[in-house]
Amino acid sequence: MRTQVAIIGGGPSGLLLSQLLHEKGIDTVVLERRTRDYVLGRIRAGILEAGFVNLMKEAGVAARMEAESFTHDGTIIAYGEEQFGINFKSLTDESVVVYGQTEVTRDLYDARDAAGGVVLHECSGVTPHDLDTDKPFVTFLHDGKVVRLDCDYVAGCDGFHGPSRQAIPLTVRREYEKTYPFGWLGILSETPPVNDELIYSSSDRGFALCSMRNDNLSRYYIQCSLSDSPDDWSDDMFWDELMRRIPSAAAESLVTGASIEKSIAPLRSFVTEPMRWGRLFLCGDAAHIVPPTGAKGLNTAASDVHYLYHALTAFYDGGDTEGIDRYSEKALSRIWKTERFSWWMTNLLHRFPEQTEFDLRIQRAEIEFLRSSEAAQRALAENYVGLPY
Ligand code: FAS
Ligand code: PHB
């Protein structure tokens, strides 16, 4: 087999890159470890920046998103019984879009199918080779056969646990990590959202987030212990705890129901440098992870895709290698800013086991300063709607 760009990973990063390159006549093959149903069964992000939406439009995959998504002009920050709104639209003239990652991934799979794209599922032992030569290739097992895929470039879109990052020698690779002493227990329920905007709530019992997918599909999260498992939490226990962490007015109007998905995600900040080694480019969660507090995971994968898509297009169109040579530097510059914002939002809103009374007073003062300062709200809004690519 041969292609121009071998893409390891059929999640949103890999699929969006494949579709964008296809639009420019650049051939790709996507190698995905899991079945399509498995990939589509993951419930993850829900908030898209305008930059992500524009990339989906550029990829010709935005029709259903534009028909079914919601635009949110702001969000609510709650602390105890207090709450205030942050109006993204008036502060930045930008908004965000509510549309689940599952739907993004489904739309991208459908577009690859419609274009006759090659997306191979249940590929095992995917291994990139000779990345530091001008003849890289990838080997993998598929349908019981060992396959060799020759290519010009390899895009490592294989998430945090994939093989691509490990292919960069430790003598070259630098990793930066911060883990948090808690996770997020999330549920999906076929109930109307408690509010028409998201509620980020900081309470003495811990963080809670009220989000949604549509007007009858809600997504809720509560900060939980890393030793918890979803089975420790019945639906009733979840709803009781959520209601104790949001303002009573919201709790009283909360419509509860059976969970159709329940999972726990650990929180981590992680960046690997560089994001390019020879003919390999890392993209998305393969290179960086953020705590989901700022809704930046999927959106930062999108800016990586933007830089890599333009770099490869410039190379194939006219041999220009400036984008390729500067990919890592440009992607990392934006990545570190989204890491900072996600870290800041997480520290602002969560309870940490080692917090002293002084720390708690400082945390409250930070929230009250945010409430009182247009400049502080504009800083949050600029980051939340998405920093420029
Ligand atoms: P992904 O991990 O989505 O995709 C990588 C793909 O590579 C997967 O399909 C995987 O099966 C495949 N792969 C892995 N190893 C492979 C191998 N050896 N061979 C072939 N394929 C391989 N972000 C938010 O903004 N908000 C959230 O609420 C949120 N919640 C999250 C919850 C969880 C549990 C996780 C893990 C992440 C969450 N994220 C959230 C972040 C998430 O949305 C990511 O940013 C997003 O999935 C990034 O997309 P990809 O880079 O494509 O990585
Ligand atoms: C979600 O709806 O899944 C979601 C929304 C905002 C976040 C994180 C997750 O910050």
Side-chain angles (χ1 to χ4, degrees):
M1 274 181 97
R2 187 182 211 292
T3 189
Q4 289 172 294
V5 183
I7 298 177
I8 305 176
S13 295
L15 294 168
L16 181 55
L17 178 64
S18 174
Q19 182 64 14
L20 284 163
L21 291 175
H22 162 76
E23 292 292 295
K24 294 291 184 182
I26 297 167
D27 190 63
T28 64
V29 170
V30 177
L31 306 174
E32 167 55 48
R33 179 175 59 177
R34 303 289 189 175
T35 65
R36 186 168 293 195
D37 285 349
Y38 185 97
V39 176
L40 291 173
R42 292 183 188 124
I43 306 299
R44 289 185 177 168
I47 300 294
L48 305 182
E49 298 171 357
F52 195 115
V53 172
N54 293 337
L55 271 179
M56 291 285 280
K57 289 176 181 171
E58 196 170 345
V61 199
R64 190 164 76 100
M65 178 178 63
E66 290 179 308
E68 298 179 12
S69 65
F70 293 63
T71 297
H72 276 201
D73 290 340
T75 192
I76 291 171
I77 305 288
Y79 55 117
E81 279 301 309
E82 300 287 331
Q83 69 178 58
F84 59 97
I86 294 185
N87 189 323
F88 307 141
K89 191 71 178 167
S90 64
L91 290 162
T92 68
D93 199 25
E94 290 277 359
S95 304
V96 293
V97 159
V98 175
Y99 192 67
Q101 175 173 325
T102 305
E103 304 319 312
V104 166
T105 310
R106 193 189 316 281
D107 293 342
L108 286 165
Y109 270 133
D110 290 348
R112 298 308 301 126
D113 290 350
V118 180
V119 178
L120 301 180
H121 287 275
E122 297 183 279
C123 299
S124 57
V126 177
T127 308
H129 303 271
D130 291 0
L131 294 168
D132 54 347
T133 73
D134 59 1
K135 292 191 183 316
F137 63 97
V138 180
T139 56
F140 57 98
L141 199 60
H142 187 248
D143 282 347
K145 290 193 289 291
V146 176
V147 183
R148 172 176 166 138
L149 175 62
D150 290 289
C151 55
D152 301 329
Y153 291 102
V154 178
C157 301
D158 44 342
F160 186 69
H161 301 290
S164 296
R165 185 174 68 250
Q166 313 302 330
I168 300 179
L170 280 172
T171 51
V172 173
R173 179 159 46 104
R174 299 178 302 282
E175 297 189 348
Y176 306 87
E177 183 168 25
K178 178 179 187 57
T179 56
Y180 298 85
F182 40 75
W184 277 19
L185 167 62
I187 73 161
L188 202 60
S189 61
E190 289 171 328
T191 55
V194 71
N195 191 290
D196 56 10
E197 285 187 337
L198 272 61
I199 302 176
Y200 286 87
S201 184
S202 172
S203 86
D204 292 341
R205 301 178 65 86
F207 171 78
L209 172 60
C210 303
S211 184
M212 66 205 66
R213 293 292 178 271
N214 61 49
D215 55 14
N216 198 44
L217 191 59
S218 296
R219 180 71 166 159
Y220 295 103
Y221 297 96
I222 58 173
Q223 173 185 344
C224 69
S225 163
L226 285 173
S227 58
D228 282 1
S229 90
D231 295 342
D232 297 334
W233 288 83
S234 69
D235 288 355
D236 288 346
M237 287 170 68
F238 180 90
W239 293 122
D240 288 348
E241 188 59 36
L242 176 70
M243 284 191 270
R244 297 170 76 169
R245 297 190 186 187
I246 58 180
S248 48
E252 283 153 18
S253 59
L254 180 70
V255 177
T256 65
S259 61
I260 58 173
E261 192 271 353
K262 190 183 289 177
S263 56
I264 291 180
L267 270 60
R268 172 187 290 136
S269 299
F270 177 87
V271 180
T272 196
E273 295 183 359
M275 290 173 59
R276 181 235 177 148
W277 187 66
R279 293 300 179 102
L280 171 69
F281 300 97
L282 301 182
C283 191
D285 277 19
H288 46 78
I289 298 284
V290 286
T293 324
K296 291 294 152 231
L298 183 57
N299 289 302
T300 309
S303 48
D304 293 350
V305 168
H306 165 86
Y307 297 127
L308 186 52
Y309 151 61
H310 283 287
L312 290 168
T313 303
F315 170 73
Y316 280 110
D317 277 358
D320 176 354
T321 62
E322 197 253 352
I324 283 175
D325 295 338
R326 293 193 58 213
Y327 167 70
S328 184
E329 168 208 340
K330 287 167 77 171
L332 284 165
S333 170
R334 188 176 188 273
I335 287 161
W336 276 110
K337 295 186 188 103
T338 65
E339 290 283 343
R340 181 210 67 83
F341 175 66
S342 305
W343 164 84
W344 174 79
M345 277 277 277
T346 302
N347 278 279
L348 180 75
L349 298 170
H350 289 74
R351 283 292 178 276
F352 289 72
E354 77 285 352
Q355 271 176 316
T356 64
E357 281 307 310
F358 175 82
D359 296 332
L360 290 169
R361 287 288 188 284
I362 290 293
Q363 194 178 46
R364 185 176 180 98
E366 180 88 38
I367 293 175
E368 288 180 340
F369 173 66
L370 180 62
R371 181 174 195 168
S372 65
S373 163
E374 183 176 311
Q377 292 191 15
R378 179 170 287 108
L380 185 152
E382 283 179 3
N383 281 278
Y384 198 93
V385 299
L387 297 175
Y389 285 4

